[in-house]
mmCIF file of all heavy atoms in Angstrom:
data_model
loop_
_atom_site.group_PDB
_atom_site.id
_atom_site.type_symbol
_atom_site.label_atom_id
_atom_site.label_comp_id
_atom_site.label_asym_id
_atom_site.label_seq_id
_atom_site.Cartn_x
_atom_site.Cartn_y
_atom_site.Cartn_z
ATOM 1 N N MET A 1 -6.115 -169.425 6.912
ATOM 2 C CA MET A 1 -5.461 -168.348 6.324
ATOM 3 C C MET A 1 -6.163 -167.857 5.141
ATOM 4 O O MET A 1 -6.998 -168.554 4.688
ATOM 5 C CB MET A 1 -4.098 -168.832 5.930
ATOM 6 C CG MET A 1 -4.063 -169.473 4.579
ATOM 7 S SD MET A 1 -2.351 -170.009 4.113
ATOM 8 C CE MET A 1 -2.616 -171.771 4.359
ATOM 9 N N ARG A 2 -6.049 -166.698 4.911
ATOM 10 C CA ARG A 2 -6.711 -166.041 3.790
ATOM 11 C C ARG A 2 -5.863 -165.878 2.570
ATOM 12 O O ARG A 2 -4.659 -165.359 2.681
ATOM 13 C CB ARG A 2 -7.172 -164.562 4.090
ATOM 14 C CG ARG A 2 -8.133 -164.696 5.137
ATOM 15 C CD ARG A 2 -8.857 -163.437 5.512
ATOM 16 N NE ARG A 2 -10.003 -163.494 4.556
ATOM 17 C CZ ARG A 2 -10.783 -162.409 4.354
ATOM 18 N NH1 ARG A 2 -10.748 -161.356 4.880
ATOM 19 N NH2 ARG A 2 -11.838 -162.597 3.447
ATOM 20 N N ILE A 3 -6.273 -166.294 1.346
ATOM 21 C CA ILE A 3 -5.503 -166.206 0.150
ATOM 22 C C ILE A 3 -6.449 -165.638 -0.937
ATOM 23 O O ILE A 3 -7.638 -165.437 -0.546
ATOM 24 C CB ILE A 3 -4.828 -167.477 -0.127
ATOM 25 C CG1 ILE A 3 -5.862 -168.701 -0.561
ATOM 26 C CG2 ILE A 3 -3.971 -168.121 0.778
ATOM 27 C CD1 ILE A 3 -5.452 -169.885 -1.230
ATOM 28 N N GLN A 4 -5.947 -165.391 -2.058
ATOM 29 C CA GLN A 4 -6.841 -165.108 -3.122
ATOM 30 C C GLN A 4 -6.699 -166.198 -4.144
ATOM 31 O O GLN A 4 -5.622 -166.558 -4.535
ATOM 32 C CB GLN A 4 -6.440 -163.793 -3.945
ATOM 33 C CG GLN A 4 -6.867 -162.556 -2.963
ATOM 34 C CD GLN A 4 -6.685 -161.316 -3.873
ATOM 35 O OE1 GLN A 4 -6.398 -161.247 -5.035
ATOM 36 N NE2 GLN A 4 -6.994 -160.122 -3.128
ATOM 37 N N PRO A 9 -11.261 -163.644 -2.531
ATOM 38 C CA PRO A 9 -10.873 -164.116 -1.209
ATOM 39 C C PRO A 9 -11.085 -165.507 -0.990
ATOM 40 O O PRO A 9 -12.249 -165.950 -1.382
ATOM 41 C CB PRO A 9 -11.483 -163.140 -0.157
ATOM 42 C CG PRO A 9 -12.261 -162.097 -0.983
ATOM 43 C CD PRO A 9 -12.323 -162.490 -2.390
ATOM 44 N N PHE A 10 -10.264 -166.214 -0.443
ATOM 45 C CA PHE A 10 -10.620 -167.695 -0.119
ATOM 46 C C PHE A 10 -9.988 -168.102 1.257
ATOM 47 O O PHE A 10 -8.821 -167.672 1.476
ATOM 48 C CB PHE A 10 -10.024 -168.672 -1.231
ATOM 49 C CG PHE A 10 -10.430 -169.979 -1.156
ATOM 50 C CD1 PHE A 10 -11.567 -170.365 -1.859
ATOM 51 C CD2 PHE A 10 -9.697 -170.868 -0.588
ATOM 52 C CE1 PHE A 10 -12.065 -171.644 -1.890
ATOM 53 C CE2 PHE A 10 -10.128 -172.132 -0.572
ATOM 54 C CZ PHE A 10 -11.220 -172.664 -1.190
ATOM 55 N N GLU A 11 -10.782 -168.753 2.160
ATOM 56 C CA GLU A 11 -10.191 -169.374 3.301
ATOM 57 C C GLU A 11 -9.706 -170.719 3.285
ATOM 58 O O GLU A 11 -10.386 -171.552 2.574
ATOM 59 C CB GLU A 11 -11.280 -169.204 4.439
ATOM 60 C CG GLU A 11 -11.725 -167.742 4.846
ATOM 61 C CD GLU A 11 -10.772 -167.097 5.723
ATOM 62 O OE1 GLU A 11 -9.913 -167.770 6.556
ATOM 63 O OE2 GLU A 11 -10.791 -165.829 5.819
ATOM 64 N N LEU A 12 -8.553 -170.988 3.868
ATOM 65 C CA LEU A 12 -7.915 -172.243 3.698
ATOM 66 C C LEU A 12 -7.321 -172.471 5.054
ATOM 67 O O LEU A 12 -6.650 -171.582 5.634
ATOM 68 C CB LEU A 12 -6.837 -172.356 2.628
ATOM 69 C CG LEU A 12 -6.392 -173.684 2.194
ATOM 70 C CD1 LEU A 12 -7.310 -174.612 1.595
ATOM 71 C CD2 LEU A 12 -5.164 -173.518 1.219
ATOM 72 N N PRO A 13 -7.411 -173.586 5.613
ATOM 73 C CA PRO A 13 -6.666 -173.996 6.958
ATOM 74 C C PRO A 13 -5.272 -173.760 6.841
ATOM 75 O O PRO A 13 -4.542 -173.926 5.906
ATOM 76 C CB PRO A 13 -6.957 -175.426 7.203
ATOM 77 C CG PRO A 13 -8.223 -175.817 6.499
ATOM 78 C CD PRO A 13 -8.082 -174.839 5.190
ATOM 79 N N ASP A 14 -4.606 -173.248 7.938
ATOM 80 C CA ASP A 14 -3.197 -173.136 7.946
ATOM 81 C C ASP A 14 -2.426 -174.453 7.654
ATOM 82 O O ASP A 14 -2.975 -175.440 7.953
ATOM 83 C CB ASP A 14 -2.636 -172.538 9.423
ATOM 84 C CG ASP A 14 -3.127 -171.214 9.654
ATOM 85 O OD1 ASP A 14 -3.497 -170.496 8.676
ATOM 86 O OD2 ASP A 14 -3.120 -170.694 10.825
ATOM 87 N N GLY A 15 -1.182 -174.189 7.021
ATOM 88 C CA GLY A 15 -0.660 -175.399 6.603
ATOM 89 C C GLY A 15 -0.888 -176.131 5.400
ATOM 90 O O GLY A 15 -0.362 -177.159 5.046
ATOM 91 N N GLY A 16 -1.781 -175.482 4.657
ATOM 92 C CA GLY A 16 -2.339 -175.990 3.405
ATOM 93 C C GLY A 16 -1.301 -175.910 2.330
ATOM 94 O O GLY A 16 -0.408 -175.101 2.395
ATOM 95 N N ASN A 17 -1.393 -176.725 1.289
ATOM 96 C CA ASN A 17 -0.576 -176.616 0.143
ATOM 97 C C ASN A 17 -1.537 -176.522 -1.260
ATOM 98 O O ASN A 17 -2.731 -176.543 -1.025
ATOM 99 C CB ASN A 17 0.399 -177.843 0.072
ATOM 100 C CG ASN A 17 -0.250 -179.125 -0.156
ATOM 101 O OD1 ASN A 17 -1.244 -179.274 -0.785
ATOM 102 N ND2 ASN A 17 0.201 -180.167 0.707
ATOM 103 N N ASP A 20 -3.921 -179.370 -1.554
ATOM 104 C CA ASP A 20 -5.199 -179.376 -0.711
ATOM 105 C C ASP A 20 -6.170 -178.300 -1.230
ATOM 106 O O ASP A 20 -7.363 -178.524 -1.202
ATOM 107 C CB ASP A 20 -4.719 -178.807 0.646
ATOM 108 C CG ASP A 20 -3.754 -179.656 1.344
ATOM 109 O OD1 ASP A 20 -3.911 -180.889 1.239
ATOM 110 O OD2 ASP A 20 -2.899 -179.231 2.257
ATOM 111 N N ARG A 24 -10.120 -178.792 -2.422
ATOM 112 C CA ARG A 24 -11.137 -178.058 -1.911
ATOM 113 C C ARG A 24 -12.017 -177.456 -3.014
ATOM 114 O O ARG A 24 -13.202 -177.320 -2.871
ATOM 115 C CB ARG A 24 -10.693 -177.081 -0.899
ATOM 116 C CG ARG A 24 -10.065 -177.730 0.329
ATOM 117 C CD ARG A 24 -10.128 -177.001 1.566
ATOM 118 N NE ARG A 24 -11.437 -176.397 2.038
ATOM 119 C CZ ARG A 24 -11.584 -175.556 2.816
ATOM 120 N NH1 ARG A 24 -10.574 -174.835 3.438
ATOM 121 N NH2 ARG A 24 -12.824 -174.921 3.203
ATOM 122 N N ALA A 50 3.700 -175.176 -0.337
ATOM 123 C CA ALA A 50 3.062 -174.658 0.802
ATOM 124 C C ALA A 50 2.410 -173.348 0.349
ATOM 125 O O ALA A 50 2.961 -172.475 -0.325
ATOM 126 C CB ALA A 50 3.861 -174.513 2.060
ATOM 127 N N LEU A 51 1.110 -172.933 0.994
ATOM 128 C CA LEU A 51 0.528 -171.726 0.856
ATOM 129 C C LEU A 51 0.724 -170.902 2.033
ATOM 130 O O LEU A 51 0.729 -171.520 3.279
ATOM 131 C CB LEU A 51 -0.906 -171.898 0.499
ATOM 132 C CG LEU A 51 -1.177 -172.633 -0.793
ATOM 133 C CD1 LEU A 51 -2.597 -172.954 -0.936
ATOM 134 C CD2 LEU A 51 -0.785 -171.585 -1.981
ATOM 135 N N ARG A 52 0.775 -169.646 1.987
ATOM 136 C CA ARG A 52 0.937 -168.706 3.066
ATOM 137 C C ARG A 52 -0.193 -167.603 2.957
ATOM 138 O O ARG A 52 -0.563 -167.313 1.870
ATOM 139 C CB ARG A 52 2.347 -168.057 3.067
ATOM 140 C CG ARG A 52 3.356 -169.088 3.320
ATOM 141 C CD ARG A 52 4.926 -168.594 3.202
ATOM 142 N NE ARG A 52 5.805 -169.506 3.438
ATOM 143 C CZ ARG A 52 6.216 -170.468 2.622
ATOM 144 N NH1 ARG A 52 5.565 -170.719 1.560
ATOM 145 N NH2 ARG A 52 7.175 -171.411 3.041
ATOM 146 N N GLU A 53 -0.338 -166.985 4.121
ATOM 147 C CA GLU A 53 -1.270 -165.939 4.237
ATOM 148 C C GLU A 53 -0.972 -164.914 3.112
ATOM 149 O O GLU A 53 0.215 -164.468 2.848
ATOM 150 C CB GLU A 53 -1.099 -165.233 5.508
ATOM 151 C CG GLU A 53 -2.041 -164.069 5.853
ATOM 152 C CD GLU A 53 -3.537 -164.519 6.051
ATOM 153 O OE1 GLU A 53 -3.610 -165.662 6.651
ATOM 154 O OE2 GLU A 53 -4.454 -163.682 5.914
ATOM 155 N N GLY A 54 -1.953 -164.468 2.353
ATOM 156 C CA GLY A 54 -1.854 -163.471 1.421
ATOM 157 C C GLY A 54 -1.385 -163.909 -0.018
ATOM 158 O O GLY A 54 -1.341 -163.101 -0.873
ATOM 159 N N ASP A 55 -1.058 -165.134 -0.142
ATOM 160 C CA ASP A 55 -0.780 -165.644 -1.494
ATOM 161 C C ASP A 55 -1.799 -165.453 -2.524
ATOM 162 O O ASP A 55 -3.145 -165.450 -2.195
ATOM 163 C CB ASP A 55 -0.368 -167.182 -1.434
ATOM 164 C CG ASP A 55 1.004 -167.511 -0.938
ATOM 165 O OD1 ASP A 55 1.880 -166.664 -0.831
ATOM 166 O OD2 ASP A 55 1.203 -168.745 -0.526
#
Side-chain angles (χ1 to χ4, degrees):
M1 85 180 106
R2 298 192 87 181
I3 62 173
Q4 281 195 5
F10 192 86
E11 290 283 335
L12 191 67
D14 288 344
N17 59 41
D20 298 331
R24 295 210 48 200
L51 293 169
R52 293 176 178 73
E53 182 80 23
D55 278 347

